[in-house]
Amino acid sequence: MTMDLFESSSSEPWVEPLCEGAVVLRRFACADASELLEVIEGLAEQAPFRQMQTPGGHTMSVAMTCCGEWGWVTDTRGYRYQRTDPLSGEPWPLMPTMFRSLAVMAASAAGYSKFEPDACLVNRYAPGAKMGLHQDKDEDDFDQPIVSVSLGTPAMFQFGGARRSDRPQRVPLENGDVVVWGGPARLRYHGVLTLKQAQHSLTGDSRYNLTFRRAR
Ligand code: SIN
Ligand code: FE2
């Protein structure tokens, strides 16, 4: 093998199993990262990032927006999916084609060949932001997986068990890493530890995360 071949093959994405039903597709979205971030900027012009209120009255540290047929929202009335952005009353921006195809390819690479996302949450973490352990369970159909794309600065993802009290694994995530969980892992608790101060050439000190789901 020549050095050139060796170098190009060593930068290819690789797969890391987390548990039955869940994998990390390392660097899977690297090649698309700058385009994804440009598209996120465009989405945020239509549906700005906002820090939502939890049903308990706390302001989330993560700023969110959505695209696709359904958007996930939280306020003092609870968590839910809705077709319109509560800030504007308008439908959420369409899911960009490149978002959908990335999510479908990632799901398929993880063994979920029939993923049809209708919702994409876009999370923006500034240093100090975090997301506590939770389950993604506001969706109707748990047969479809969750596809979660990391962009920008590194974060420590927590991947727990079926119960909140199960000690989570710590999974460092970098720009371009994609986590897919479904099947027996679909309702696993997960979260993100407080984002550390860091710099990334594409995002400055921020981390972005795209989570694709089938909501309805
Ligand atoms: C989430 O669980 O919605 C976000 C996960 C992440 O930011 O990696
Ligand atoms: Fe989640």
Side-chain angles (χ1 to χ4, degrees):
M1 189 188 273
T2 70
M3 201 54 189
D4 265 7
L5 276 173
F6 176 75
E7 280 172 358
S8 62
S9 63
S10 68
S11 65
E12 288 297 304
W14 68 100
V15 181
E16 243 175 61
L18 284 179
C19 70
E20 198 190 338
V23 292
V24 188
L25 306 172
R26 293 288 182 193
R27 316 298 188 262
F28 190 88
C30 267
D32 295 320
S34 71
E35 192 177 347
L36 290 167
L37 287 158
E38 275 172 33
V39 174
I40 291 171
E41 248 180 64
L43 288 175
E45 282 167 21
Q46 292 179 67
F49 283 99
R50 78 292 305 264
Q51 288 173 263
M52 297 187 205
Q53 297 285 116
T54 67
H58 295 285
T59 301
M60 296 187 72
S61 58
V62 176
M64 295 180 173
T65 185
C66 299
C67 63
E69 231 174 297
W70 296 94
W72 183 87
V73 299
T74 170
D75 57 23
T76 49
R77 287 158 48 209
Y79 305 123
R80 64 192 174 276
Y81 281 98
Q82 62 175 58
R83 286 187 183 274
T84 53
D85 178 348
L87 286 184
S88 63
E90 296 294 318
W92 295 104
L94 294 177
M95 189 183 298
T97 309
M98 73 150 329
F99 277 31
R100 180 186 306 277
S101 50
L102 173 69
V104 169
M105 280 196 295
S108 156
Y112 299 101
S113 61
K114 297 191 177 77
F115 187 40
E116 292 181 27
D118 61 4
C120 173
L121 267 73
V122 187
N123 294 314
R124 186 182 67 199
Y125 297 71
K130 63 178 191 304
M131 191 174 295
L133 277 182
H134 64 278
Q135 295 171 294
D136 292 352
K137 59 174 184 188
D138 300 321
E139 299 74 30
D140 286 346
D141 182 1
F142 297 144
D143 289 342
Q144 301 233 11
I146 302 286
V147 172
S148 173
V149 180
S150 289
L151 298 167
T153 66
M156 191 59 82
F157 185 62
Q158 293 183 292
F159 193 68
R163 288 165 307 184
R164 186 185 293 282
S165 58
D166 294 335
R167 181 200 291 272
Q169 307 176 51
R170 287 188 171 196
V171 184
L173 294 180
E174 287 187 27
N175 181 61
D177 288 348
V178 179
V179 189
V180 182
W181 64 97
R186 177 60 180 74
L187 289 175
R188 291 276 192 134
Y189 278 87
H190 59 279
V192 176
L193 295 181
T194 305
L195 196 79
K196 295 208 168 131
Q197 191 63 247
Q199 286 293 320
H200 190 278
S201 55
L202 295 173
T203 63
D205 64 2
S206 301
R207 170 179 187 260
Y208 291 82
N209 166 260
L210 301 172
T211 347
F212 295 91
R213 301 98 186 272
R214 180 77 193 184
R216 293 289 174 255

